[in-house]
Amino acid sequence: MNYRFEHGRRYHGFKDESYFFPNDDQESDRLDMYHHIMVMRMDNQLHLAPIGPNPQRILDLGTGTGIWAIDMGDKYPSAEILGNDLSPIQPSLVPPNVKFEVDDVENTWVYSSKFDYIHSRYMTCSLKDWPKLMRQAYQFTKPGGWVEFQDFDLIFYTSSNGEFKKGDPIDAWISRIASGLEKFGLEPHPGPKLENWVKEAGFINIEAKTLPIPTGTWPKDKKLKEIGAFDLIQFLDNLEGLTLRIYAAAYGWTPEEVKVLCAQLRKDFNNPKNRIQHNFYIVYGQKPLDA
């Protein structure tokens, strides 16, 4: 809990160069909003893997605010659910079958027993060695058990008739974030690579989905319009938090320079003619029964 404070924001203190985004209340609100966005995009489901009605042990990697683990605890009272994260920002009032621990999932795992289901979500920009994570997930999944990885890349693109193009301010901003994270060995684009990593780890019965998430209210579909509205809000309200630390560490930008950039970015995010979206990737697989 020895947090760091920089540029008016709070950051975790454990493994200082593992995560470049804040862990304060403002960021927690953003993460909870993103939980809502992802669940809505999955047709109000918490997971897609067919884990059955009575799973016994569930592990949530990088649990963040713990909101997914808490919702799963309510949905599956049969299960013991463990969530881990670098920051102890989770609430203390949780269902009796939900527990949290501070841990770095990139360290060697030391769990005493295996899990029926291992879940990882929204870990883009947070990990250096995804294949190792997959191998450890395979090791600690029970034969016949499931893993599910839900993640992103940092690439925006437009619908068929949008005006957004490569080199625009939003594209330049997110490309710099990706390049900055790569300087520190972090993977900014895990989403499209998940399926192959899961396969290489040894899982079978793999299913993969790619779900576009709009940013803004430009879609005609009612549900996508609502998702896009939430996605736009979380970007507009948190551009400085997403940008400050990595731009300072990788490029030497000052907070004042970042504020000027974010003012320009808000104009572009609010331009309905851009019709921007980004992809949400979901991959789940099963450990062979004879493993």
Side-chain angles (χ1 to χ4, degrees):
M1 297 186 70
N2 186 21
Y3 299 137
R4 297 169 59 93
F5 292 85
E6 299 174 10
H7 317 307
R9 301 299 298 267
R10 190 186 76 189
Y11 299 86
H12 77 273
F14 179 46
K15 297 274 185 160
D16 188 42
E17 289 186 354
S18 298
Y19 192 69
F20 282 86
F21 304 114
N23 74 348
D24 51 22
D25 289 345
Q26 186 177 345
E27 176 67 0
S28 292
D29 289 344
R30 185 186 78 84
L31 292 174
D32 284 350
M33 183 182 293
Y34 226 91
H35 167 77
H36 182 60
I37 290 169
M38 290 182 282
V39 170
M40 282 185 67
R41 193 62 183 90
M42 294 168 58
D43 297 327
N44 297 315
Q45 299 179 88
L46 291 170
H47 61 88
L48 298 184
I51 62 176
N54 296 298
Q56 299 302 302
R57 278 175 56 79
I58 294 174
L59 175 63
D60 185 28
L61 304 173
T63 194
T65 66
I67 189 170
W68 181 90
I70 291 167
D71 284 354
M72 287 290 284
D74 289 332
K75 182 175 181 179
Y76 295 105
S78 65
E80 172 192 328
I81 299 173
L82 176 64
N84 61 35
D85 202 89
L86 292 173
S87 289
I89 60 172
Q90 303 79 31
S92 55
L93 293 175
V94 298
N97 58 334
V98 176
K99 295 179 181 178
F100 298 113
E101 65 178 7
V102 176
D103 196 10
D104 181 357
V105 298
E106 295 210 85
N107 288 344
T108 300
W109 297 8
V110 291
Y111 299 112
S112 58
S113 56
K114 297 183 179 183
F115 297 88
D116 299 279
Y117 176 51
I118 296 178
H119 171 265
S120 169
R121 187 182 70 171
Y122 204 11
M123 294 284 274
T124 184
C125 310
S126 306
L127 299 178
K128 295 181 179 180
D129 192 344
W130 279 85
K132 178 185 175 183
L133 183 80
M134 303 289 181
R135 292 193 297 270
Q136 296 208 102
Y138 185 87
Q139 180 184 350
F140 283 91
T141 302
K142 295 177 183 177
W146 293 87
V147 295
E148 184 164 348
F149 296 90
Q150 304 176 5
D151 237 294
F152 295 85
D153 55 29
L154 294 190
I155 297 170
F156 286 97
Y157 62 98
T158 186
S159 66
S160 58
N161 55 353
E163 295 182 358
F164 176 80
K165 58 186 182 299
K166 289 289 184 182
D168 282 356
I170 291 173
D171 179 65
W173 163 69
I174 206 70
S175 296
R176 275 198 208 100
I177 285 181
S179 297
L181 291 163
E182 286 171 340
K183 288 184 178 183
F184 293 93
L186 296 165
E187 171 58 70
H189 306 300
K193 304 172 185 176
L194 292 174
E195 184 177 5
N196 190 53
W197 286 334
V198 169
K199 190 178 297 182
E200 288 179 346
F203 293 100
I204 61 172
N205 298 326
I206 296 168
E207 296 288 340
K209 293 182 180 293
T210 303
L211 303 176
I213 292 183
T215 305
T217 57
W218 56 266
K220 293 181 179 179
D221 178 85
K222 183 179 179 181
K223 185 182 80 169
L224 289 177
K225 186 182 289 290
E226 183 178 0
I227 291 170
F230 280 117
D231 198 46
L232 178 62
I233 289 168
Q234 67 90 23
F235 277 117
L236 293 177
D237 287 353
N238 295 283
L239 281 170
E240 285 84 1
L242 296 171
T243 309
L244 266 169
R245 198 178 190 207
I246 189 61
Y247 267 53
Y251 308 113
W253 282 44
T254 66
E256 290 73 25
E257 290 172 321
V258 170
K259 287 179 182 177
V260 171
L261 170 65
C262 291
Q264 172 62 55
L265 291 172
R266 286 189 174 90
K267 292 179 183 178
D268 280 61
F269 271 108
N270 276 313
N271 182 357
K273 294 181 180 179
N274 278 331
R275 295 178 174 246
I276 56 175
Q277 54 193 348
H278 53 112
N279 284 337
F280 179 34
Y281 300 86
I282 302 169
V283 177
Y284 61 88
Q286 185 178 30
K287 186 172 181 175
L289 280 167
D290 59 355

